[in-house]
Amino acid sequence: MSFQNKNRFRPIFKQFLILRENVQNRQKLLSFKKNKWKSFLRFYNNKLKPFKKFKPLDQTKHYVNKYGTRGTSYTKRFRDTLAAGTRFRLFYGSMLRKGLKRRIKIATKSFKLSEFGFIQLFERQLDTVLYRAKFASSMRSARQLISHGNVFVNNEPIKSKTFSLRNGDIISLHLNCLNLFESHILSSTKWPMPPKHLIVNYKTLQIAYLGDVKSFNPVNDFSFNLKLQKILTYYSR
């Protein structure tokens, strides 16, 4: 008799279905044909239309329902907070809750905790830089390339997925995997462009990290509303 583990992790695609958001840009999701995916795929394909896909999202806005008392209950606000934290953790490589809490503690010790100052901790990670530079189709594929030893920082192999880059670091790739990286670049979306704190040479497939993450603008780099204030308030307890 086999016992099912009740504490196992929920499958990644079912989390996208609950959130109604393809957070990790998984193209495999578009090939699902079961009935439970039809409503979500209709909603997602409509969102991928050009006039909606490249619409910037102002992360500083506070969205209010046009009906004053709708959605203001404690249950609704708590559910929105949990959903915002799940989106954020899934986007940055399916991070665990305790990992996010640990990052917030580090942020509070190193500098004054702010919404966009907190994102700087994640945007200087090696896997995030590969994804922003279009060298990986998703954060998951970027982490897989790093764990296989195909990424070098200052000519030294790095296998730590959350390796924190410093000002002036040069990222290069393994020669045996150049075709793979080229295919990722060609199949990636042209918008948004790589952020200003990265200098990308697509001929030599190298990245120079300038370190000025403060110029990072999250308006064009997230397809969903971050709701950072709710995340910081809940996970900093």
Side-chain angles (χ1 to χ4, degrees), residues 12-197:
I12 188 71
F13 291 107
K14 286 188 177 180
Q15 297 189 53
F16 297 160
L17 183 63
I18 295 173
L19 296 171
R20 293 182 65 82
E21 190 74 48
N22 188 6
V23 181
Q24 295 183 354
N25 193 24
R26 300 281 190 95
Q27 299 300 317
K28 182 181 178 180
L29 188 144
L30 298 175
S31 63
F32 291 171
K33 297 182 179 179
K34 288 187 176 181
N35 291 329
K36 66 179 181 179
W37 293 97
K38 286 185 178 180
S39 175
F40 171 71
L41 290 177
R42 192 184 306 114
F43 167 79
Y44 183 65
N45 286 324
N46 187 36
K47 188 177 180 180
L48 289 179
K49 291 182 180 179
F51 66 92
K52 291 186 177 181
K53 186 176 181 181
F54 304 130
K55 183 178 179 180
L57 289 175
D58 190 356
Q59 303 293 344
T60 60
K61 282 186 177 181
H62 178 68
Y63 295 92
V64 180
N65 198 308
K66 64 178 181 179
Y67 303 102
T69 59
R70 183 177 296 181
T72 58
S73 65
Y74 176 81
T75 304
K76 178 66 166 58
R77 287 185 282 112
F78 185 70
R79 185 171 67 243
D80 289 347
T81 302
L82 291 181
T86 304
R87 290 191 195 97
F88 189 85
R89 292 188 292 106
L90 287 175
F91 181 82
Y92 285 106
S94 301
M95 184 173 41
L96 298 177
R97 293 181 182 179
K98 60 181 180 181
L100 181 56
K101 286 186 176 182
R102 185 172 65 251
R103 294 296 182 84
I104 292 179
K105 287 183 180 180
I106 295 174
T108 53
K109 291 180 180 179
S110 58
F111 53 86
K112 185 179 179 181
L113 187 61
S114 62
E115 294 184 10
F116 300 118
F118 176 62
I119 299 183
Q120 297 175 17
L121 293 176
F122 297 91
E123 291 299 325
R124 62 167 59 104
Q125 290 182 176
L126 183 58
D127 55 351
T128 308
V129 169
L130 290 176
Y131 174 69
R132 296 296 187 195
K134 312 295 183 182
F135 283 14
S137 57
S138 64
M139 201 75 69
R140 178 176 176 270
S141 62
R143 291 190 162 207
Q144 192 173 17
L145 291 168
I146 295 171
S147 61
H148 290 173
N150 296 323
V151 183
F152 298 84
V153 177
N154 299 329
N155 296 325
E156 295 184 2
I158 302 296
K159 291 189 177 182
S160 175
K161 305 170 187 177
T162 58
F163 179 80
S164 185
L165 296 170
R166 298 180 179 179
N167 188 10
D169 284 348
I170 303 296
I171 304 169
S172 56
L173 310 173
H174 199 284
L175 296 178
N176 296 334
C177 298
L178 293 182
N179 293 331
L180 177 61
F181 284 100
E182 289 178 356
S183 64
H184 285 169
I185 295 172
L186 293 175
S187 61
S188 64
T189 56
K190 304 301 182 291
W191 184 267
M193 299 295 290
K196 295 181 179 180
H197 61 272

